[in-house]
Amino acid sequence: MITKIPKLTRRSFVIGSTALGAGLAIGLKIPFGPSVVRAQDGSPEVTAWVVIRPDDTVVIRIARSEMGQGTLTGLAQMVAEELECDWSKVKTEYPTPGQSVKRKRAWGDFSTGGSRGIRDSHQYVREGGATARIMLIQAAANAWNVPTSECSAANSVITHKPSGRKTTYGKVAEAAAKLTPPEKPALKDPTEWKLIGKSVKRLDTMDKLTGAQVYGFDLKFPGMLNAAIKDCPVFGGKLKSYEAAKVTSMPGVRHVVTVGDSAVAVVADTWWQAKTALDALPIVWDEGENAKVSSDSIAAMLKEGLDADQAFVANQNGDVKQAIAGAAKKVEAVYAYPFQNHAPMEPMNATAKYTPDRCEVWVPTQNGEAAFAATLAASGLPADKCEVYKLHLGGGFGRRGAFHDYVTQAVLIAKQIPGTPVKLLWTREEDMLHGRYHPVMQCKLVGAFDSSNNLTGLHMRLSGQSILTSVRPEALQQGKDPLVFQGLNPSGDFGIGYSVPNLLIDHAMRNTHVPPGFWRGVNINQNAIFLECFMDEMAHAVGQDPLEFRRKLMTKHPKHLAALNAVADRAGWSKPAPQGVYRGLAQMMSFGSYVAACAEISVKDGDKIKIQRIVAATDCGYAVNPAQIERQIAGSFVYGLSGLFLQECTVKDGHIEQTNFNNYDSMRIAQMPKVESIVMPSGGFWGGVGEPTICVAAPAVLNAYFAATGKRIRTVPLKNHGITLV
Amino acid sequence: MARLTINGKTHDVAVDPSTPLLWAIREQVGLTGTKYGCGIAQCGACTVHVDGAAVRSCVMPVAAAEGKKITTIEGLANGRALHKVQKAWLDNEVPQCGYCQSGMIMAVAALLREKPKPTDADIDARVTNICRCGTFQQVREAIHAAAKA
C-alpha cells in the first residue's frame, strides 16, 4: 500500500502517525505530556512546527504550499528566527491535511492564496519556534541542574554562561519533547531579528535545476495507470454519450469511464496512449441552455448594470449625485476587463488510489485541506480513511486553491478501478476550457469638478461577476460581495488611497455561467486600471500633473502617498523623461501592502510599446526576505502585463474559444521590462507580497501610453487595439 | 519499437513511432525533468538537446530522434558538477515554481554553446520559453553571468 512518498523525493512529506496520544494538540498549541510525537524517521517533535534530529538537523513544518512564491523559505525563516537554530541545518516538510484533522488543526490554515502565507500566520509560526527554543533550553538546564536564566541559545547551541558548558539541540530534543510547553512565549522585538529581513537563499532551488524536483505530474507508482479527460466544453452542460468500443482496442487502453455527469476519461498504461485514444473517442454532449451565451451577450448584460438602479454600496461619503449634478465640469469614462485563464505551466493533475477502506490523493494544491475535503466528498469515505499528500506546484496563481475539480475527477476515476493508482493529467486544451476565470467586469466612472478644478465628487460603478457568489456564497454580506471592492474600501487591507468629498463606489452584480475564480491579484487587477487610469484622465482633463493631482487627494493616506512618492522620486518624475520616453503612474493598496509603480515606455508607429523600465515600490510592513520580494514584484508584472497586452478568454456558443498558448499568449523574455524594485517596509504591520504589486503595472503602462500618444485605452487586452508589446 | 540514445545511454522503447519524444522520455525512459506545458511547441517546457540543438520534444516524433544524441536536463550536469548554466541559475536564484526551468536551462545551454557571449538581442531571439511566474529578469542576469563563467 502506498502510504508515503519519500522514495520519490529527497524530503519526507509525511509525518508518522505513531504515538499520537490524546490531548497532544489543542488548537494551535503544541503537544505536551509524557508521550513524544515522532516524525517518520523517529525524531522527536519539540513542537508541531519543529522536529529535531539527533544530528542537529532541524525540520520545520510548513502548512502553506510552495508554488514559486518562496513561502516555504519565508515561513521557515520566521520559525528559525525564534528557534535560534543553525539556518544551514534547516529542512522543511509539509504536514498532511489528514494529520491536521487528527490533531485539531495543529498547523492552522493550509490555504495558500490571498497573499496570506506569512501575513496570516506570522504570529503562531514564530510562537512555534519560540516555544521549541524555550523547551530546548529548559531540557539543557534540567540536565545540568542549573536555572534556565543562566542559559542561552544561539545557532542550535545552548550555553550555560557561568560554566561555559555547551550542548546542541539534537542532544536535548528528546528530553525537550517531553516537557510541558510554556503558555505564551514572548516573541522578539523586530529590532532583534537576525534572520527575518535577511535575503537568505531559497531552500528549494537545487532540485529545480536538475530535473529532480517532483511535481504532481511527475509521480510514478508501481502499477499506476494514466488518465486523460474531457469535460463538457460548455459550463453546466452534460455528457450525453460516447462510443467506447471505438477506442478500447487502441494501444494501452484499459478503461473508458464516465466521470460525474459531464465528463469522460480514458485510462491507459501511459498518458500519451490515454490522450491519443481520448482524441479518437466519439463523444456527444448535451450542452444545454448555456450554449446560447456569447461574449457579446455577457457584455450587454454588464453594460446594463452600469446604469442600473440597484447596486451594492461599499464606499460612500457625502452626496455624489448632488455633486455630479452641480458640477462645473464632468469627466466620464467606461472601462472593461475580460475573462482570463490562470494557465499555470503545470496543467491540472491529481493522482488517486481508492479502495473501499482508504482513499489517498497526491496533488499539487494551494490548499491541502480543500483538496482533502474534495477527496472525502468524492470518495464517500470518512476523514480517518482519507489522506492527501501535497507536492510542489508548477504554478498556482489561484487556480489550485479554492477549486479541486481535478481532485474530484481523479477520485471518481480511481473509484472505478479500486486498488490501482491513477494519475489524471489535463491537456493544456482542457485547462484552457475549464478554468476558473478572472471575473469579467465593466466600470463606469464619473468625476465632478467645481469651477476651480477641484475634484468634488467621484462615482465608480462596477458591473460584473462576483467570485464569492460562485465559490463561497456564505461569505456574502446581505448579498454583497465585499471582495469586488479590493483597493476601493474606506479602510482595511484594501483601503483606497484618496479622500474625495463626495464619493460612491458600488457594484451591480451580474453573474455569468462562466465560473469565476481567484486570479493572482483577484479584483485589484481591474480596480487598479479603472481607478488609476481614471485618476490620470481627470488630472489631464483639468490640466494638472497626474502626480500633483493625486497628492492633493492623498494627504490623509500617508502610506499610500509614501509609496507613490518613492517611485516618483526614483523615476525622476520632476525632471523631463529622456527623449522619446513617456511616463505613467499608479498606486494602490492591496492585501495589506502599499504599492506604486512608475512605467517608462516608448512607442513606435503608434502601436508598438517598449517598456523601458518600471520603478515599483512596496511597503509590506515587514519584509521577511527582500530578495524574494523583488522577484515577486518583477514576476507579478509578467503575469499582470501578459494579462494587459495578450490575454482574453472569449465565449462562443457557451464555451471558451481559446485553446492553448498559440491563441492565449504569455510574455516572453524579449518583452520583459527592466524592473527596479523599492522594498520599503515601514514596520508595524504584515502586508502580502505575492499579489499586491501585480495591479499597478497595467495602469502605469496605460497612463504612459496616453502620455506618449494622447490615446486613452479603456479595454483589455491591448492586442484587441492592435497594440503590441515589443 | 525505437532505439533512443539519451544522456549517453541507449534505450529501446516500445512506442508507436509517431509518439512525441517528450512522452517517450517521460513515460518509457522514466526521466521526468522534461515537462509538458502545451504540446504544440509554444511554451518550451519540453526543451531537450538533439544533437546539441535545442528542440521542443513535444512535437518531435520518436522516429525523428532515432540515431541522434539526446540530452535532457538530467544529463546536463557532468556527474555531480553542475553545468555553468545551472550554476548561474543557482547563484542568481532564478527559479520560482521551477516547472519551466528545465526547458529554459536547456534552451540557454544550447544558446551559450553556439554564442558563448550572447547579447541581449541574442537572448531575446533565442530564449522564447514561457515562464508564468515571471523569472525573466533573473534569467537574463543569469545568462550573462554564465557567459562570464
Side-chain angles (χ1 to χ4, degrees):
Chain A
M1 194 168 96
I2 302 155
T3 56
K4 54 182 183 176
I5 49 171
K7 280 178 197 160
L8 300 158
T9 69
R10 292 183 182 180
R11 296 182 193 93
S12 168
F13 288 116
V14 188
I15 296 160
S17 58
T18 54
L20 279 169
L24 282 175
I26 299 168
L28 296 177
K29 296 290 164 116
I30 53 272
F32 61 92
S35 33
V36 175
V37 182
R38 294 184 185 283
Q40 198 159 32
D41 67 355
S43 301
E45 253 190 42
V46 183
T47 69
W49 302 95
V50 176
V51 171
I52 296 180
R53 296 181 186 154
D55 67 355
D56 288 328
T57 299
V58 174
V59 181
I60 294 177
R61 303 266 176 66
I62 307 292
R64 314 280 176 162
S65 299
E66 178 59 52
M67 52 187 159
Q69 82 281 38
T71 207
L72 195 77
T73 305
L75 285 167
Q77 282 177 259
M78 311 276 287
V79 175
E81 177 70 62
E82 294 291 342
L83 182 58
E84 292 285 2
C85 65
D86 181 348
W87 179 251
S88 70
K89 289 177 180 156
V90 167
K91 296 183 185 305
T92 59
E93 70 179 9
Y94 290 140
T96 62
Q99 291 288 338
S100 178
V101 167
K102 279 182 195 151
R103 295 174 62 174
K104 299 182 183 168
R105 296 190 92 203
W107 297 279
D109 195 350
F110 279 53
S111 173
T112 314
S115 297
R116 64 176 155 243
I118 283 170
R119 73 189 175 108
D120 275 9
S121 58
H122 59 88
Q123 186 73 23
Y124 58 78
V125 299
R126 283 185 294 152
E127 286 175 0
T131 302
R133 182 196 71 239
I134 291 165
M135 292 163 75
L136 290 157
I137 291 174
Q138 180 73 57
N142 290 353
W144 293 329
N145 200 21
V146 299
T148 55
S149 58
E150 292 179 356
C151 301
S152 64
N155 227 25
S156 294
V157 175
I158 302 163
T159 304
H160 179 235
K161 280 168 275 184
S163 67
R165 274 180 292 186
K166 290 178 188 297
T167 188
T168 67
Y169 281 4
K171 294 194 176 82
V172 297
E174 188 72 34
K178 292 174 184 152
L179 298 173
T180 303
E183 266 301 306
K184 189 79 184 168
L187 297 180
K188 288 183 188 176
D189 185 85
T191 56
E192 301 172 281
W193 287 340
K194 293 178 284 191
L195 202 51
I196 296 175
K198 209 170 152 191
S199 293
V200 295
K201 296 276 188 182
R202 291 178 68 118
L203 298 169
D204 57 344
T205 299
M206 180 60 92
D207 285 356
K208 295 173 179 174
L209 308 178
T210 60
Q213 179 69 56
V214 175
Y215 298 87
F217 127 92
D218 298 328
L219 278 176
K220 285 177 282 199
F221 291 116
M224 185 179 82
L225 296 177
N226 291 272
I229 195 163
K230 278 187 184 174
D231 200 348
C232 182
V234 176
F235 309 102
K238 308 286 181 217
L239 174 68
K240 202 168 182 177
S241 63
Y242 55 89
E243 295 175 59
K246 289 262 168 73
V247 303
T248 43
S249 60
M250 288 178 71
V253 173
R254 301 291 191 96
H255 308 271
V256 182
V257 296
T258 302
V259 186
D261 61 2
S262 66
V264 56
V266 174
V267 183
D269 292 337
T270 71
W271 185 79
W272 184 253
Q273 290 168 334
K275 190 252 181 203
T276 303
L278 184 64
D279 286 344
L281 181 69
I283 307 170
V284 180
W285 306 109
D286 173 8
E287 295 181 335
E289 278 296 295
N290 290 334
K292 293 174 186 165
V293 179
S294 68
S295 285
D296 285 347
S297 68
I298 291 170
M301 178 174 69
L302 267 56
K303 186 167 182 289
E304 179 274 324
L306 293 175
D307 295 306
D309 291 336
Q310 298 294 320
F312 296 108
V313 175
N315 195 348
Q316 184 174 29
N317 59 261
D319 186 338
V320 82
K321 280 180 184 153
Q322 199 174 17
I324 290 168
K329 178 185 278 191
K330 276 198 293 183
V331 181
E332 189 173 320
V334 173
Y335 284 77
Y337 198 94
F339 294 119
Q340 291 171 331
N341 189 298
H342 298 80
M345 291 306 297
E346 180 189 18
M348 298 303 109
N349 67 83
T351 301
K353 186 186 174 196
Y354 172 90
T355 67
D357 285 325
R358 185 147 177 90
C359 185
E360 293 172 295
V361 168
W362 294 259
V363 61
T365 171
Q366 289 176 242
N367 188 344
E369 291 178 313
F372 189 69
T375 301
L376 263 61
S379 68
L381 294 176
D384 62 352
K385 292 186 173 179
C386 293
E387 189 56 289
V388 165
Y389 308 96
K390 299 198 304 177
L391 292 114
H392 275 18
L393 288 71
F397 313 115
R399 179 64 180 89
R400 294 183 152 110
F403 316 100
H404 289 86
D405 36 346
Y406 42 93
V407 169
T408 301
Q409 291 173 344
V411 172
L412 291 177
I413 295 167
K415 255 180 120 167
Q416 299 179 60
I417 314 165
T420 300
V422 180
K423 180 163 74 183
L424 170 68
L425 170 68
W426 287 14
T427 58
R428 175 60 59 193
E429 288 78 7
E430 189 69 9
D431 198 282
M432 289 299 301
L433 282 177
H434 291 284
R436 294 293 184 270
Y437 303 86
H438 188 296
V440 68
M441 195 73 75
Q442 294 183 12
C443 182
K444 181 176 179 180
L445 300 108
V446 184
F449 291 84
D450 66 17
S451 54
S452 306
N453 281 341
N454 296 307
L455 180 65
T456 55
L458 174 64
H459 181 199
M460 186 170 180
R461 163 60 64 86
L462 299 154
S463 175
Q465 272 177 300
S466 154
I467 303 172
L468 290 185
T469 299
S470 167
V471 179
R472 275 203 297 275
E474 69 279 8
L476 296 174
Q477 300 169 352
Q478 282 103 45
K480 177 171 81 177
D481 180 348
L483 269 189
V484 166
F485 302 97
Q486 288 174 314
L488 307 174
N489 288 325
S491 61
D493 284 353
F494 294 92
I496 194 167
Y498 303 110
S499 299
V500 181
N502 299 285
L503 178 72
L504 175 61
I505 302 176
D506 54 10
H507 173 225
M509 193 186 289
R510 295 293 181 272
N511 292 316
T512 78
H513 82 296
V514 179
F518 305 95
W519 192 94
R520 191 178 190 174
V522 194
N523 289 302
I524 55 165
N525 293 294
Q526 73 271 23
N527 289 346
I529 289 175
F530 302 158
L531 181 63
E532 286 303 285
C533 289
F534 193 65
M535 280 288 158
D536 210 68
E537 289 204 53
M538 291 194 292
H540 286 289
V542 294
Q544 293 178 25
D545 174 77
L547 176 61
E548 292 308 320
F549 181 80
R550 284 181 173 83
R551 280 175 171 167
K552 282 192 289 183
L553 305 171
M554 296 177 74
T555 53
K556 290 178 185 160
H557 307 274
K559 286 188 188 292
H560 292 78
L561 183 59
L564 181 64
N565 282 338
V567 297
D569 289 349
R570 173 74 69 85
W573 185 268
S574 59
K575 300 184 202 100
Q579 182 71 31
V581 175
Y582 299 87
R583 293 181 180 132
L585 288 170
Q587 68 80 25
M588 208 76 176
M589 183 193 189
S590 59
F591 303 96
S593 292
Y594 303 86
V595 297
C598 179
E600 295 184 332
I601 72 167
S602 54
V603 182
K604 203 177 157 197
D605 306 329
D607 56 12
K608 294 178 189 65
I609 294 178
K610 174 74 186 170
I611 306 174
Q612 306 290 347
R613 174 172 77 146
I614 301 181
V615 177
T618 182
D619 176 3
C620 49
Y622 296 115
V624 176
N625 188 320
Q628 293 310 319
I629 293 172
E630 288 183 13
R631 282 159 175 76
Q632 287 304 297
I633 293 170
S636 75
F637 287 175
V638 172
Y639 207 77
L641 292 173
S642 291
L644 173 67
F645 280 89
L646 301 167
Q647 297 174 344
E648 176 183 30
C649 293
T650 52
V651 181
K652 187 186 176 193
D653 300 331
H655 65 83
I656 296 296
E657 291 189 278
Q658 288 66 31
T659 53
N660 206 319
F661 289 122
N662 59 333
N663 46 29
Y664 188 83
D665 205 356
S666 190
M667 263 173 73
R668 316 296 165 115
I669 199 169
Q671 298 161 305
M672 180 72 198
K674 183 181 173 199
V675 176
E676 283 183 28
S677 299
I678 305 168
V679 180
M680 45 185 285
S682 60
F685 65 98
W686 297 85
V689 165
E691 292 170 279
T693 49
I694 188 172
C695 67
V696 283
V701 167
L702 288 169
N703 291 338
Y705 184 73
F706 179 82
T709 64
K711 284 185 204 155
R712 182 61 65 181
I713 305 292
R714 300 190 182 92
T715 63
V716 174
L718 299 189
K719 73 179 176 106
N720 293 353
H721 301 272
I723 297 170
T724 53
L725 178 61
V726 297
Chain B
M1 184 70 77
R3 175 160 288 193
L4 298 174
T5 307
I6 302 175
N7 303 332
K9 282 188 196 163
T10 302
H11 301 266
D12 289 320
V13 296
V15 293
D16 184 282
S18 68
T19 301
L21 178 60
L22 167 65
W23 295 102
I25 290 170
R26 288 184 58 85
E27 301 199 296
Q28 263 75 31
V29 182
L31 296 173
T32 56
T34 307
K35 304 305 185 196
Y36 163 71
C38 68
I40 56 168
Q42 291 287 308
C43 77
C46 64
T47 304
V48 299
H49 295 173
V50 177
D51 285 345
V55 164
R56 293 190 171 173
S57 64
C58 71
V59 293
M60 178 183 243
V62 160
E66 275 196 283
K68 295 183 173 153
K69 191 181 152 210
I70 300 158
T71 307
T72 70
I73 187 71
E74 291 90 346
L76 189 64
N78 184 4
R80 297 189 66 178
L82 293 178
H83 186 276
K84 66 180 176 182
V85 175
Q86 292 168 314
K87 180 76 172 54
W89 251 237
L90 182 64
D91 293 343
N92 287 271
E93 290 196 286
V94 174
Q96 289 187 28
C97 88
Y99 190 86
C100 74
Q101 297 296 338
S102 297
M104 194 80 80
I105 289 168
M106 295 308 281
V108 170
L111 168 65
L112 290 182
R113 190 181 300 126
E114 203 180 306
K115 294 198 173 190
K117 306 280 177 197
T119 63
D120 279 334
D122 293 332
I123 293 169
D124 291 348
R126 290 286 298 277
V127 182
T128 56
N129 301 45
I130 292 176
C131 171
R132 296 287 287 149
C133 296
T135 59
F136 297 133
Q137 187 142 308
Q138 280 69 43
V139 167
R140 191 182 298 280
E141 284 170 13
I143 293 172
H144 289 308
K148 287 189 193 118

